[in-house]
C-alpha cells in the first residue's frame, strides 16, 4: 500500500511537520479573510469513532467541507465494525470507497492493522497510546503566540497518557525538551521515554517541573476507557492540579494548554482556565486548521 499515513508524529519528517504547521497558520488566515479554497471537490473523508468526541469530529468534518469535500461519520453502533467484521476487511472495503480515513479507537494496534490494509491515507484521531493531531494544533498554537518551539522547555503535568506520549514524539520531531511530572505508576510509555532520554525527563514534583518552563500542559486524570478508575486517580493525582500559582513558577512568558475537555477542580483549576496565560480556545480552534493542512498534505502532497 503506497499511501502515507499519520498514525504517530514519527510518520512524517521534521521538515514535513514544520511545513504542515506553517501551512495551517496560512490556511487559518485565509479562512479568516474569507478566501475560498476547495481542492477536495468530490473527495470523501471516512470518520470512524469508537470513542466520543466533540472537537475531533467537528474539526475534521468542518475542515473537509471547507476544502470542498465531504465526510461520513461511522460509529460501531450502526456499522458492521461493531458486530465483529474483521478490521482488515473493513479497511479494504472502506478505503476503496473513500479517499482518506480518520480513526478514533482504543488499541493502537487496531489502527496499525487498519492502515496496513488501507489503500487510502489513515489518520490517527486518538488511540489509547497517541493523539498526534492534537499535537499539530498545540505546536501551531505555540508558534502563533511565541514563535518557534525549537529548544524550548515544555512541562507535562499529570497522567502519562496518550497525549503525554505524543508530547514525547513531538519533543523529538519539533526539537524541544520535555519534563514530565507524574505520580509513580502513571508514567508515559517506557520504551518511548528510553528512546528519547536526551530530551525527556520524569520528575515527581510539579513545582520542580514547572520551573524554567515555556509551556505547561495537562490533560484529564482518567482518559476515555478509564472511567472506573476515576476515584483512584483523583487520589493519585491530587497534587498535580495546574493553577496560576504553579504557572507563576514557570518562565514569564509561559503559556498553558489543555487539549480539552477540561475537568475544572481536578487537573486544572477554574482560575487557570480563565488566566491570560491559557491559550486553550486557540488550541481547540487550531485543530481545524492543522488538520486541514494535514489532509492537504496526505491527499495532495502539500502546498506552498
Ligand atoms: N481534544 C480532543 O480530541 O477533543 P474531543 O475528544 O472533543 O475530540
Ligand atoms: N487523554 C484523553 C484525551 C481526550 C481528548 C483521553 O484519551 O480521553
Amino acid at each position: 500500500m503506497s499511501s502515507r499515513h499519520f498514525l504517530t508524529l514519527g510518520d512524517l519528517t521534521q521538515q514535513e511537520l514544520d511545513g504542515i504547521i506553517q501551512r495551517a497558520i496560512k490556511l487559518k488566515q485565509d479562512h479568516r479573510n474569507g478566501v475560498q479554497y476547495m481542492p477536495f471537490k468530490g473527495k470523501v473523508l471516512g470518520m470512524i469513532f469508537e470513542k466520543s468526541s466533540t472537537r475531533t469530529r467537528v474539526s475534521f468534518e468542518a475542515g473537509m467541507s471547507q476544502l470542498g469535500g465531504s465526510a461520513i461519520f461511522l460509529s460501531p453502533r450502526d456499522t458492521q465494525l461493531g458486530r465483529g467484521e474483521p478490521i482488515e476487511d473493513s479497511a479494504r472495503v472502506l478505503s476503496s470507497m473513500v479517499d482518506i480515513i480518520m480513526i478514533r479507537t482504543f488499541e493502537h494496534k487496531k489502527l496499525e492493522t487498519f492502515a496496513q490494509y488501507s489503500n487510502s491515507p489513515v489518520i490517527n484521531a486518538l488511540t489509547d497510546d497517541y493523539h498526534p493531531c492534537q499535537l499539530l494544533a498545540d505546536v501551531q498554537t505555540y508558534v502563533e503566540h511565541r514563535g518557534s518551539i525549537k529548544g524550548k522547555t515544555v512541562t507535562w503535568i499529570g497522567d502519562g497518557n496518550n497525549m503525554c506520549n505524543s508530547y514525547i514524539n513531538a519533543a523529538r520531531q519539533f526539537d524541544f525538551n520535555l519534563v514530565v511530572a507524574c505520580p509513580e505508576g502513571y508514567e508515559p510509555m517506557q520504551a518511548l521515554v528510553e528512546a528519547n532520554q536526551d530530551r525527556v525527563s520524569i520528575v515527581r514534583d510539579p513545582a520542580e517541573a514547572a520551573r524554567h518552563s515555556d509551556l505547561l500542559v495537562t490533560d484529564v486524570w482518567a482518559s476515555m476507557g478509564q472511567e472506573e478508575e476515576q476515584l483512584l486517580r483523583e487520589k493519585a493525582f491530587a497534587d498535580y492540579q495546574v493553577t496560576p500559582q504553579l504557572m507563576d513558577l514557570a518562565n514569564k512568558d509561559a503559556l498553558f494548554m489543555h487539549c480539552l475537555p477540561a475537568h475544572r477542580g481536578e487537573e486544572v483549576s477554574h482560575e487557570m482556565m480563565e488566566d491570560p496565560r491559557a491559550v486553550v480556545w486557540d488550541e481547540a480552534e487550531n485543530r481545524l486548521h492543522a488538520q486541514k493542512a494535514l489532509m492537504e498534505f496526505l491527499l495532495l502532497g502539500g502546498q506552498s
Side-chain angles (χ1 to χ4, degrees):
M1 311 291 165
S2 58
S3 290
R4 293 286 297 272
H5 302 301
F6 184 63
L7 309 189
T8 74
L9 289 167
D11 287 335
L12 269 53
T13 67
Q14 297 182 347
Q15 289 74 15
E16 287 169 340
L17 289 167
D18 285 338
I20 286 173
I21 300 300
Q22 290 311 319
R23 183 67 182 152
I25 292 170
K26 173 76 165 66
L27 286 172
K28 180 177 181 174
Q29 286 163 356
D30 286 353
H31 184 62
R32 294 236 164 120
N33 292 333
V35 176
Q36 281 218 344
Y37 172 57
M38 298 195 157
F40 286 176
K41 228 168 178 177
K43 300 263 188 239
V44 181
L45 165 72
M47 307 196 302
I48 300 174
F49 280 98
E50 297 195 320
K51 292 178 176 177
S52 303
S53 169
T54 297
R55 280 145 288 270
T56 304
R57 178 176 177 182
V58 175
S59 54
F60 268 110
E61 204 165 324
M64 197 62 193
S65 163
Q66 288 166 14
L67 291 171
S70 59
I72 303 174
F73 175 80
L74 299 158
S75 95
R77 227 171 321 150
D78 33 46
T79 59
Q80 301 291 1
L81 281 164
R83 296 182 63 250
E85 181 166 11
I87 200 79
E88 297 86 342
D89 297 1
S90 305
R92 282 184 276 211
V93 172
L94 289 173
S95 68
S96 72
M97 298 178 182
V98 303
D99 302 279
I100 184 164
I101 299 171
M102 57 118 288
I103 306 179
R104 169 168 286 198
T105 189
F106 292 85
E107 306 85 5
H108 191 75
K109 184 84 201 107
K110 199 166 172 182
L111 175 80
E112 288 177 335
T113 305
F114 192 103
Q116 198 187 329
Y117 286 88
S118 172
N119 287 304
S120 303
V122 174
I123 297 173
N124 179 357
L126 183 147
T127 62
D128 289 345
D129 293 345
Y130 298 102
H131 194 8
C133 287
Q134 184 67 52
L135 263 294
L136 296 180
D138 286 20
V139 173
Q140 181 190 346
T141 309
Y142 189 88
V143 171
E144 285 176 338
H145 282 268
R146 295 287 183 265
S148 174
I149 199 165
K150 189 179 164 120
K152 301 288 182 188
T153 297
V154 177
T155 300
W156 177 268
I157 307 275
D159 191 19
N161 62 12
N162 44 9
M163 274 296 299
C164 184
N165 290 332
S166 279
Y167 259 95
I168 296 177
N169 283 339
R172 159 86 34 218
Q173 295 295 67
F174 291 102
D175 197 10
F176 59 78
N177 299 306
L178 180 70
V179 183
V180 176
C182 64
E184 256 174 75
Y186 294 96
E187 292 83 5
M189 225 181 271
Q190 195 184 344
L192 209 51
V193 175
E194 281 169 11
N196 292 285
Q197 269 171 356
D198 54 329
R199 57 188 66 238
V200 177
S201 56
I202 297 190
V203 301
R204 301 297 168 204
D205 179 13
E208 180 192 339
R211 274 185 207 109
H212 312 298
S213 180
D214 299 297
L215 169 64
L216 262 75
V217 194
T218 192
D219 186 14
V220 291
W221 291 340
S223 285
M224 289 181 276
Q226 299 172 332
E227 288 80 4
E228 74 290 352
E229 295 176 32
Q230 177 67 29
L231 287 179
L232 178 80
R233 285 171 170 267
E234 278 178 27
K235 284 201 188 89
F237 290 104
D239 297 330
Y240 289 82
Q241 186 180 85
V242 181
T243 61
Q245 293 71 40
L246 188 68
M247 279 297 293
D248 289 344
L249 301 174
N251 288 341
K252 251 205 173 74
D253 61 351
L255 297 173
F256 169 69
M257 292 190 200
H258 188 313
C259 66
L260 308 178
H263 292 197
R264 291 171 175 80
E266 292 182 26
E267 77 278 358
V268 60
S269 70
H270 290 261
E271 299 73 33
M272 191 62 240
M273 288 295 285
E274 303 305 325
D275 190 285
R277 292 167 289 189
V279 290
V280 296
W281 314 120
D282 290 342
E283 182 189 1
E285 180 192 332
N286 282 340
R287 293 292 303 279
L288 171 69
H289 311 296
Q291 288 157 198
K292 281 166 76 174
L294 173 67
M295 289 192 289
E296 185 187 56
F297 174 82
L298 293 174
L299 276 178
L300 306 178
Q303 298 284 305
S304 53

